[in-house]
Amino acid sequence: MTGLSPDDFVVAIEDMFICTICAGVLTEPVSCRAGHAFCRVCITSWLDHNQTCPCDRQPLTVNGLTTCLLVKQMLEKKVVRC
């Protein structure tokens, strides 16, 4: 896991903030054209060995990823346990 666990947050984290590769809370979230979100490190590592999206198996390259600014901003507002 690259980042925080869903258990690290005071309020339950919605599934849309969970990386489908590492099952942790998104860290440096990026998405493919279909809108699937991943941690940047997770999807970059995945794409070192695969050329498809892990969710729908559509063709994907690192250049096809977009930073998810809105998701990042929403996560920054979540309260983390000390």
Side-chain angles (χ1 to χ4, degrees):
M1 189 177 333
T2 61
L4 295 170
S5 163
D7 296 332
D8 293 335
F9 290 81
V10 173
V11 176
I13 293 293
E14 297 89 343
D15 287 344
M16 69 180 181
F17 296 118
I18 303 299
C19 175
T20 57
I21 297 173
C22 72
V25 178
L26 293 167
T27 303
E28 293 186 57
V30 294
S31 65
C32 65
R33 285 188 177 176
H36 305 123
F38 314 96
C39 300
R40 181 177 298 279
V41 170
C42 293
I43 192 63
T44 301
S45 294
W46 170 272
L47 292 173
D48 284 344
H49 307 286
N50 304 277
Q51 288 99 32
T52 60
C53 171
C55 294
D56 62 13
R57 303 294 189 226
Q58 292 299 310
L60 182 62
T61 65
V62 172
N63 292 334
L65 299 172
T66 306
T67 300
C68 298
L69 293 176
L70 183 58
V71 171
K72 182 180 178 202
Q73 291 169 345
M74 291 171 74
L75 280 170
E76 288 172 349
K77 292 182 180 197
K78 302 285 183 180
V79 179
V80 178
R81 295 182 200 280
C82 293

